[in-house]
Amino acid sequence: MSLRRDPLSYMQRQHRLYGPIVRLGSGRHAAHLLAHPDYADHVLRKHHRNYSRRTRSAHAVRLVTGESLLTNSAELWLKHRLLLQPAFQQHSVSEHLPLIVAQTAKMLDAWERAMHAPLDVAAEMMHLTFAIAGEAFFGIDVETHASAVEALLPAILEELFARSTSMFPPRRTSRRFDEARRELDAIIDAALARPAGNMVSALLHARDEQNNAVLTEAERRGEALALLLAGHETTANALAWTFYLLASAPEIERALLDEVMHRTPDELPKLQLLNAVVDETLRLYPPIWIVERDAIADDEIGGYHIARGSIVYISPYVLHRDPAFWNEPERFDPHRFLPADKRPAYLPFGAGPHHCIGAHFALLESRVILMMVLQRYSLRLATRKSIAPQPWITLRPRGGVPMHIATR
Ligand code: HEM
């Protein structure tokens, strides 16, 4: 078992053997796994200024987005974060509800014609969340452009993943990557050229008092790509895992169905079990399974010396499955989140100034999609094998989630 081959099991084992701070690697490439909520808080919140995003994975993302919310932690990041934040507050996000409902209904209609063979629910969710993010944030014409962008993404993501996990990434990017990147830029530029009526696009085009654009054209494009990259695969995987977990827990599924039947998305805050099911899935399968930072200056955490230049890892996956904080951590039990405030070591959306800007959007979207799917279809796993998590850029279900669907 090694960090490279099976990082989830490896980190969990090292944590079990050596406790809340584990040194991984040595010499110039020393890294530490911090597996205690206080240490996560130290790095991500209390002393965040000492822990930068100048990491290998951010460097890879920079090839696509340039300096963006996903890669920067300095002044530029703050400027962009403050600029975009209004579009992602709860009340702004709820304006996207009709769009989420309409896109989901369209997918569910299409499922009527797909009932004879197992459906890969993970792929379906990827397609749906991409269409929603594209239209909600940038008014990308879903019919014409979404599939083109979706076809380009694998080339981009594969290069990103290879580079963020390689010690010695090649200097040049692949031709496939360069071509995909150029086409993607053209589509984004076209979408950004018509910002009318869309809050995210409008904010990206904001001007200051002297009527100067706040962002340059390249920054605008970079942030748009960052939001598209960060804003769909994460939620898609969370949903795919939810259907997987529910299919193996019929009692919970029945109780959930009782709760959501005949309800509308306006009633979401009242639907406690629905919210708890989403929260519990994000505990067991946090789409962002690892967060990486680079120590700017020497520091001490839990009596342990953290040398300047070393990498620290915080893994929501490891924290969320730590028996010191969770009773029977491997068990899918949404009731642990009822009442909703018991969250000892829980950070699916990160923490501190870089916590996920899209958390409200992601939660709204996941809850609405889950509710609408359940109201109309029953889903059964089309495989007897358990589905393993694949720790890619996000935590994917390996091989997808094949399911038989039937109308209720
Ligand atoms: C279930 C879905 C999602 C999960 C689990 C998730 C998780 C996270 C986590 C853990 C971070 C912190 C990373 C760090 O500290 O380095 C983060 C940051 C971020 N997320 Fe999400 N995310 C989700 C959905 C979204 C959506 C829908 C959007 C799009 C609006 C989005 C956009 C971002 C951005 C731009 C950042 C960087 C924020 C910053 O540094 O200021 N995420 N996300």
Side-chain angles (χ1 to χ4, degrees):
M1 193 192 295
S2 77
L3 182 60
R4 192 163 284 260
R5 288 242 292 283
D6 184 359
L8 300 175
S9 310
Y10 181 81
M11 288 189 306
Q12 279 189 301
R13 199 184 64 153
Q14 298 301 97
H15 169 43
R16 225 176 13 251
L17 289 174
Y18 302 112
I21 299 194
V22 184
R23 191 183 163 97
L24 312 167
S26 59
R28 230 162 53 77
H29 298 290
H32 306 275
L33 172 68
L34 306 179
H36 190 284
D38 292 348
Y39 303 161
D41 194 55
H42 178 107
V43 168
L44 298 179
R45 205 173 58 80
K46 285 198 190 116
H47 300 275
H48 68 90
R49 284 199 178 78
N50 191 42
Y51 292 92
S52 94
R53 284 245 190 90
R54 297 265 144 204
T55 58
R56 201 163 39 194
S57 45
H59 189 65
V61 175
R62 209 170 279 123
L63 288 174
V64 182
T65 70
E67 290 297 352
S68 72
L69 283 189
L70 290 179
T71 60
N72 201 289
S73 31
E75 251 167 69
L76 183 106
W77 161 80
L78 185 62
K79 177 175 130 186
H80 291 202
R81 173 102 192 189
L82 293 176
L83 183 76
L84 282 170
Q85 207 143 259
F88 294 99
Q89 276 154 3
Q90 199 152 6
H91 61 275
S92 312
V93 159
S94 58
E95 287 172 17
H96 297 301
L97 188 58
L99 163 72
I100 298 172
V101 169
Q103 287 288 350
T104 307
K106 202 158 91 183
M107 177 191 75
L108 298 179
D109 288 346
W111 282 12
E112 295 275 353
R113 297 185 290 280
M115 273 193 282
H116 46 280
L119 200 66
D120 179 3
V121 172
E124 291 293 306
M125 292 302 124
M126 205 72 101
H127 186 73
L128 175 61
T129 55
F130 184 78
I132 291 173
E135 195 175 342
F137 303 157
F138 309 109
I140 290 184
D141 177 356
V142 182
E143 300 304 333
T144 48
H145 285 319
S147 51
V149 178
E150 261 187 307
L152 298 171
L153 280 178
I156 302 260
L157 295 175
E158 271 157 33
E159 179 95 20
L160 289 194
F161 184 65
R163 284 175 174 271
S164 51
T165 50
S166 162
M167 281 286 185
F168 306 105
R171 203 168 312 155
R172 290 182 54 119
T173 45
S174 71
R175 224 172 72 213
R176 190 163 163 250
F177 172 87
D178 295 342
E179 283 167 13
R181 168 83 224 257
R182 265 196 303 277
E183 281 188 54
L184 194 55
D185 285 356
I187 294 172
I188 297 290
D189 287 351
L192 286 175
R194 12 176 199 88
N198 180 295
M199 190 162 178
V200 178
S201 290
L203 289 174
L204 290 173
H205 284 84
R207 294 183 164 273
D208 65 17
E209 285 111 55
Q210 283 83 43
N211 208 25
N212 298 318
V214 179
L215 302 190
T216 64
E217 199 182 330
E219 286 173 344
R220 228 173 0 245
R221 184 198 292 148
E223 291 302 355
L225 284 167
L227 291 173
L228 276 182
L229 285 181
H232 85 286
E233 183 170 330
T234 40
T235 314
N237 285 329
L239 278 159
W241 286 117
T242 312
F243 292 116
Y244 172 68
L245 287 168
L246 283 174
S248 354
E251 274 169 35
I252 296 170
E253 192 184 16
R254 220 166 301 125
L256 181 58
L257 199 60
D258 279 349
E259 186 182 81
V260 301
M261 257 320 165
H262 314 300
R263 299 299 193 122
T264 63
D266 301 329
E267 296 173 277
L268 282 180
K270 280 192 253 165
L271 307 181
Q272 290 189 16
L273 185 58
L274 177 75
N275 297 340
V277 164
V278 172
D279 294 348
E280 173 71 342
T281 306
L282 290 172
R283 181 184 71 80
L284 279 170
Y285 297 105
I288 301 295
W289 56 281
I290 196 150
V291 171
E292 187 183 5
R293 294 287 191 271
D294 185 275
I296 294 172
D298 286 355
D299 194 9
E300 196 183 292
I301 300 183
Y304 202 90
H305 179 66
I306 306 288
R308 177 172 76 95
S310 51
I311 293 286
V312 294
Y313 291 113
I314 291 150
S315 167
Y317 185 90
V318 172
L319 281 174
H320 293 181
R321 289 175 183 245
D322 186 345
F325 300 102
W326 303 94
N327 191 18
E328 289 188 78
E330 306 293 320
R331 199 157 71 90
F332 174 57
D333 176 14
H335 292 97
R336 68 175 86 237
F337 284 109
L338 302 173
D341 54 352
K342 278 197 285 176
R343 286 150 196 247
Y346 187 65
L347 48 154
F349 294 107
H354 288 289
H355 74 269
C356 180
I357 199 171
H360 290 307
F361 189 90
L363 287 174
L364 176 73
E365 188 183 19
S366 311
R367 292 165 181 168
V368 171
I369 294 172
L370 176 57
M371 172 181 191
M372 288 180 67
V373 170
L374 289 181
Q375 286 174 338
R376 198 151 148 195
Y377 291 97
S378 71
L379 291 81
R380 293 284 154 262
L381 275 175
T383 169
R384 283 175 188 280
K385 290 195 216 128
S386 59
I387 295 176
Q390 181 182 15
W392 216 60
I393 297 174
T394 62
L395 196 62
R396 293 178 160 184
R398 191 182 293 275
V401 181
M403 298 188 95
H404 293 295
I405 55 169
T407 41
R408 288 208 187 274

